[in-house]
Amino acid sequence: MHDVRVIGIRAFWSSLPTEGRWLLSTVAIQTLGRGLTLPFTIIYLHEVRGFDLGLSGTLMSLIAIAGLVVTGPGGSLTDRLGARTVLLAGCASMAAGNVLLAFATTPAGAAVALVLIGINFGVSWPAFNALIAAVVEGDLRQKYFGVNFALVNLGIGVGGIVGGLYVDVSDASTFTAIFLLDAATGLIPAALLLGPLRRVSGRAEPPDEDGTAEPPSYRAILRRPEVLWLSGLTFVAVFVGYGQFEAGFPGYGRQVAEVSTRVVGLAFAVNTAVIVVLQFTVLNRISGRRRTRVIAVMAVVWAASWLLLGAAGLVPASALAAIGMLAFMGVFAFGETLMQPTVPAIANDLASDHTRGRYNAISAGAFQAGAIAGPVVAGFLLEHDLASAYVGLMVVGCLGIAAMAYALERRIPPAANGVPGDAAIDPSAGAGDPAAPPAVVPD
């Protein structure tokens, strides 16, 4: 077993298998292209291609809708065909979508492009997490998810800065260039999967003698209480977290705290910086600790961040309001460094090797549902001048996450909760569902 308490990036890197190093080595470059386009797609549709703002917003929603629709089939295909095959299909869909979007001049063309991009997100998330789980095991897997998250944020953050400096709404070719670059960087995973990772399929045969048994269905997996609790926790966490990034947080900042758009943009930069700086330190501190307790701490941290945002709204159009906005994003980012390594690690440790695609698809579906519901509720409350109710709902949601984390702890095996060594046989460390299938600890 790997030494999970190593300190330092070099020691972490040396602990990874070769396949894990290949997967991690290009993450920031892959996501650089996404950062170039993510903040500017709606600007491109509205100000460059001339679609009205309502239509542009509807077109943008196609990414999430398409992703949610294909997540379930994507998880099944990951189990049946292997993560590598599904990821290659996702890469092709992403590249085609970005190339089409670069030259789209009609709403229909843009719609097809955005659906293709959404299909990639829907199938690649469960497939990529399943591939990680296939090559990295134990507590090292938790660290891997955390470092991967930090690198994703680094790539998107740098891409956003570069894109902001480069694109010009009076020159459509600048937007064409960033979408084409996004398509090119999105092909990097395909190059890895066709080259050094060509022998890593991410597919495991069901555990029977002749290898013909079908993997368990979604219905069978969703009968497990711990899966339902984890899915509910994920939904609420995204609802009060990432689901507020596109609408709730900027809307509150502009309408209630009355800060400039520059402050809003700077807050997102603070978020990225905190994640990149703190993630590895946090990973070392939470190694070997119960993941559900880490999630509970995250919930308290997020509740504090929302109270900071609420305080910013009490002193609108002031320096204190700006500080409150920046503090919210900084404290919230600290909470993200606690959530991102733990939730996917629990999901993959609950799964057996031949059901990882479905387990990750369920998590992805809960995430996407929260990301869709969050902006809708935020928009309604802020539009009706219910700012206090909005902040209060977010705080209550955070406290609910903590309660669900403790409920989840009583239902998952100690090993899935990140309890190492002898603690796994200590009844006080938490007990798993006695009806759960035996393959809850991978490898």
Side-chain angles (χ1 to χ4, degrees):
M1 183 175 180
H2 295 293
D3 180 5
V4 299
R5 296 187 181 276
V6 294
I7 299 175
I9 295 177
R10 181 178 299 178
F12 166 74
W13 184 259
S14 66
S15 299
L16 290 175
T18 302
E19 297 85 355
R21 296 178 194 176
W22 275 113
L23 277 174
L24 199 61
S25 61
T26 59
V27 168
I29 300 174
Q30 296 169 31
T31 54
L32 178 68
R34 187 59 187 152
L36 285 171
T37 61
L38 181 63
F40 308 110
T41 302
I42 194 167
I43 296 173
Y44 168 71
L45 296 173
H46 177 52
E47 298 187 36
V48 178
R49 295 308 184 192
F51 308 154
D52 67 61
L53 193 56
L55 175 59
S56 298
T58 300
L59 289 170
M60 287 293 293
S61 70
L62 292 176
I63 297 177
I65 293 171
L68 186 59
V69 168
V70 303
T71 292
S76 297
L77 289 173
T78 296
D79 289 333
R80 293 174 182 274
L81 304 178
R84 177 178 175 273
T85 300
V86 174
L87 280 172
L88 286 170
C91 289
S93 180
M94 183 71 169
N98 274 300
V99 171
L100 182 57
L101 190 58
F103 300 102
T105 57
T106 65
V112 173
L114 293 167
V115 166
L116 287 171
I117 292 172
I119 288 173
N120 168 67
F121 290 144
V123 302
S124 292
W125 186 345
F128 186 71
N129 279 359
L131 194 66
I132 290 174
V135 300
V136 184
E137 63 181 20
D139 193 74
L140 192 64
R141 182 185 294 159
Q142 175 174 286
K143 285 193 173 186
Y144 192 104
F145 280 121
V147 173
N148 183 78
F149 173 67
L151 291 175
V152 167
N153 274 271
L154 178 62
I156 291 178
V158 172
I161 293 171
V162 173
L165 295 173
Y166 175 70
V167 295
D168 182 354
V169 293
S170 64
D171 184 359
S173 67
T174 60
F175 285 86
T176 299
I178 62 172
F179 284 114
L180 292 178
L181 185 57
D182 191 5
T185 57
L187 291 176
I188 292 175
L192 292 176
L193 293 167
L194 292 171
L197 297 177
R198 61 186 179 278
R199 293 184 176 86
V200 181
S201 70
R203 180 179 183 272
E205 294 290 344
D208 70 326
E209 293 183 357
D210 57 9
T212 59
E214 289 294 320
S217 65
Y218 280 112
R219 180 179 297 179
I221 295 172
L222 288 171
R223 287 197 185 107
R224 297 183 65 178
E226 63 270 38
V227 173
L228 294 177
W229 279 104
L230 182 62
S231 299
L233 185 154
T234 301
F235 171 83
V236 176
V238 175
F239 177 85
V240 304
Y242 300 105
Q244 304 306 321
F245 274 23
E246 292 184 5
F249 171 73
Y252 187 93
R254 295 291 291 154
Q255 297 179 28
V256 183
E258 298 180 15
V259 300
S260 67
T261 54
R262 180 172 297 181
V263 170
V264 174
L266 183 58
F268 280 97
V270 169
N271 179 270
T272 298
V274 170
I275 290 169
V276 172
V277 170
L278 290 185
Q279 183 66 85
F280 202 84
T281 300
V282 169
L283 287 170
N284 280 321
R285 294 298 299 271
I286 67 175
S287 178
R289 299 181 185 275
R290 290 177 176 84
R291 292 163 179 164
T292 48
R293 305 287 175 90
V294 174
I295 294 170
V297 172
M298 175 276 291
V300 174
V301 170
W302 276 7
S305 72
W306 280 108
L307 291 174
L308 285 171
L309 189 69
L314 299 177
V315 285
S318 67
L320 287 176
I323 292 172
M325 293 284 290
L326 299 178
F328 165 80
M329 271 299 199
V331 175
F332 188 91
F334 171 56
E336 289 180 77
T337 65
L338 297 169
M339 173 185 173
Q340 288 298 335
T342 50
V343 171
I346 291 174
N348 280 280
D349 282 355
L350 286 174
S352 55
D353 289 340
H354 64 286
T355 58
R356 293 199 196 285
R358 287 178 170 87
Y359 273 81
N360 282 292
I362 290 170
S363 292
F367 190 104
Q368 290 163 338
I372 292 171
V376 173
V377 174
F380 175 84
L381 292 175
L382 294 176
E383 183 180 358
H384 289 81
D385 298 321
L386 298 172
S388 296
Y390 169 67
V391 173
L393 178 62
M394 297 300 113
V395 172
V396 170
C398 292
L399 299 179
I401 294 169
M404 285 188 285
Y406 281 106
L408 178 64
E409 181 174 310
R410 295 194 296 271
R411 292 168 172 83
I412 60 175
N417 206 11
V419 181
D422 295 339
I425 61 174
D426 180 0
S428 66
D433 179 3
V440 293
V441 183
D443 305 312

